[in-house]
Amino acid sequence: MRRPLEVLAVGVVLGELLCLAGIRGIWLFPLCLCPALFAFYLRGVRQRILLVLVLGAVAGALRLQLALLPGRAERQLQRAEGVAATFRGRIAEIEPRGELTRVRCGSVYLLLRESDGERLALGRVLTASGSLSPIAAPTNPGEFDYRAYCRARGVTHRMQVRQYRVEGRASPLAEGLRRFRSAALERLKAVCPEQEAGYLAALLLGDKHALSEDFYDLYRKNGIAHLLAISGLHTGFLGLALYRLLRKKCGLSLSAVVTALFLCLYAALTGGDTGVLRSSLMLGLGFLALCLGRSYDLRSAAAFALLFLLFLSPLQLFQCGFQLSFLAVFSIGGPGKALTERFAAKRKLCAAFLQSLTVFLITLPVISYWFFSLPPYGILLNLLVIPMTGALLLLGFMLLAAAFAVPPLALLCGQILHLALGMQILLCRLAEHLPFHRILLGRPKAWQLVAYSLCLSLSFRLLLGRSAQEKEKRFSKKRCVLFVCAALGAVLSLLPIRSRVPRVWVLDIGQGDALVIEQGSRCITIDGGSTSRPDCGKQVIEPFLMSRALGTVDAAFLTHADLDHTNGLSYLASKGSGIRVKRVILNPAAETDAHYAKLMAALRENPETELFFMGAGDVYGNFHCLWPPREALPEEVNEQSLILLFTANGKRCLFTGDAGQPSEEKLLERLAAPERAAERAALTDIDLLKVGHHGSRGASSDAFLALLSPECALISCGRGNSYGHPHAEAMERLHRHAGQVHSTANEGALSVELHTAGRNKALKEGERK
């Protein structure tokens, strides 16, 4: 067995995946016992490989299970949850958050405003009182899982601090590194423009807070965002450069030890991200091999780093950065190396392209799962930009040193950096104007990821062969056909799977409304905004649409002008969004009412978005507008809300915006006319109702609900909102007249599939997982 550590690492990963899938405790041992017993019937290398694999699986599953169980500290925090909690811990991390400061003490993030008399420093003991709460899980598909991100770093709770005090002595080394980092950031801001300062802060110090969102999004959408973070690539450049510099004047052992110490300090300075730790461990093993006169194996070193990091925090396995970092290393040391030796042994440019292509193909399912799309030109951009990284890293350190010692020299370095960044931005802009610059895949299902991995592995097997004799043979016709089929199967396995049945989503957007109706690749939204989450367009609605592979909104209805219905949609319709909004449909009041002036100005900034206005009696596709009438517009903004009847597969859905009892009463009067008998019949015993005005007391009257008698009623409101939504009186009326009542405040994002027959079922997002 050539690489036992690699086999053990594979077993640990498989064990964690089995544990995550729910195969835990007593069920895990029989599952692993069968292959272990089977190993006794094998001989030699295969027996040892299977036994090591089983051992790794058991160890990985048990380690993850221990990490998922709440420890003593977490149980104490759970008992202390509330608005009047007290917490005491040693400061391990301090980060500015605008006017506030975020402090990590143990497994708690504390958000506080620094006071003059209490100096925060790493290592000091902080005692705080305030509101302690667990970090919540995401409640919408596609939403970033901040709770899993924090738990992988050992943080389970957060506290809004009202009062605090600090005592004790600071840690000299940790606090010294933090102060140096803060001073370096201030120097960079003093000698560089904002964009260059933010770039260097991310590149050299691992601080992304100074990066503008537009700049980061440009790099992310083009597949080169890894250049804006301290990664294994940067650490490798630094470590090897320092080692070679020291090697010219120092001995082998001294150079290796000094470089290893530098990498440890640099990892502590930059926050110790996965890529930095992985690269530092691998370089350290390389230096150890040099000192001992032993050979160095890239894949074994990466396996050791993976085992070490997963032992410290097994939940890191399910984080994007960890997955991309290790998959890139294993692809370079495995298939990438084999392809290069086979097809480009003496051609450096071709070898670089093959390596980049291999990394892209192997990391593609991770990119698709976390970012929902792939930039096909990222392979070429990385080939052009990565060779610049070493020079820019060296230039950045020179600029930082000059900023402390010779500021005029720093200005000169800043100009060179400005030109280099300008070239990278120009390349990204050019790529965005090419056809198919972004392929939207959505979030693939687990079986799609497995199918892609199997097809890709088969493709590499057919392309490379197993033995030396197979490598010398030319491809037979049969092998070529199998290779093409496997490659095609890998491509097809990640294509988005769309539902032919219309599906209505009510997103959990806090105190607001955001509804999405999807069928195949078509998408229609109704409202999209929140007062409790002003960034809902970027953080909730856009990720949801991308995770469903919905890159275009065919029509967006805005029922009225309130921010809790519009601010998210305004972002989607802007040029900075990755979603295209073809047309926005508003009520007739938007043409003249001053309340809509700011909203209309924001919507008109994007000439690609068409504006339409709809009143009672108008029809758009399967949508029939029932309210408000053009001839008698209400003065109150909420009562101007569009009331829309949507029909699909014989199912009828009513969406009411913030319309209250005055609109309901006038609509009932309007429907009492003989010529409106068909409309009244269409509203009798409907299938789905989006409850008006978030379930307030002044909406959903008895008379209105008696006519509708909905099979399912959905309420969109925020948890613990100050308005008391949904109100007890409204809930009582709904329970009398509706078959089912569901609320986003209690259940998260809701969805209903509109089947042609049978009763519809409202699902909360947690049940689908």
Side-chain angles (χ1 to χ4, degrees), residues 602-617:
L603 293 174
R604 288 192 172 107
E605 288 181 359
N606 190 349
E608 296 181 358
T609 301
E610 300 174 309
L611 298 182
F612 292 88
F613 302 93
M614 197 173 188

Side-chain angles (χ1 to χ4, degrees), residues 136-154:
T139 54
N140 297 282
E143 188 177 356
F144 176 65
D145 194 344
Y146 185 64
R147 184 179 72 166
Y149 175 83
C150 292
R151 286 189 71 90
R153 285 152 181 77

Side-chain angles (χ1 to χ4, degrees), residues 7 59 61 63 69 153 227 252 262 338 526-527 563 580 660 696:
V7 177
R63 181 67 184 93
L69 293 174
R153 285 152 181 77
L227 299 176
L252 180 82
F262 167 78
I526 302 175
D527 289 333
L563 281 177
R580 180 191 173 200
S696 71

Side-chain angles (χ1 to χ4, degrees), residues 57-212:
V58 173
L62 291 178
R63 181 67 184 93
L64 180 61
Q65 193 165 351
L66 288 175
L68 292 174
L69 293 174
R72 179 181 177 184
E74 186 175 352
R75 290 195 298 270
Q76 289 178 346
L77 289 173
Q78 289 173 349
R79 289 192 293 268
E81 290 172 6
V83 295
T86 301
F87 176 79
R88 179 183 173 87
R90 194 172 296 276
I91 299 175
E93 183 181 302
I94 302 173
E95 291 184 11
R97 286 288 188 272
E99 296 181 354
L100 302 177
T101 302
R102 191 182 76 175
V103 178
R104 180 170 68 85
C105 295
S107 55
V108 180
Y109 277 140
L110 302 103
L111 197 63
L112 52 85
R113 190 181 301 274
E114 287 194 65
S115 60
D116 296 333
E118 302 288 349
R119 188 176 68 82
L120 297 174
L122 297 180
R124 300 192 73 185
V125 177
L126 182 144
T127 305
S129 60
S131 176
L132 180 69
S133 60
I135 297 176
T139 54
N140 297 282
E143 188 177 356
F144 176 65
D145 194 344
Y146 185 64
R147 184 179 72 166
Y149 175 83
C150 292
R151 286 189 71 90
R153 285 152 181 77
V155 178
T156 59
H157 286 70
R158 65 174 74 187
M159 173 181 276
Q160 295 285 343
V161 177
R162 290 193 300 268
Q163 295 180 341
Y164 75 94
R165 70 175 188 275
V166 290
E167 55 191 356
R169 298 180 59 185
S171 171
L173 179 60
E175 180 62 16
L177 289 173
R178 187 184 75 88
R179 290 189 181 184
F180 173 78
R181 186 183 187 187
S182 300
L185 287 172
E186 294 300 322
R187 291 285 183 175
L188 289 176
K189 292 177 181 178
V191 299
C192 293
E194 182 179 358
Q195 183 171 274
E196 283 74 15
Y199 174 81
L200 287 178
L203 184 71
L204 304 179
L205 304 171
D207 191 323
K208 297 181 183 177
H209 297 102
L211 281 174
S212 69

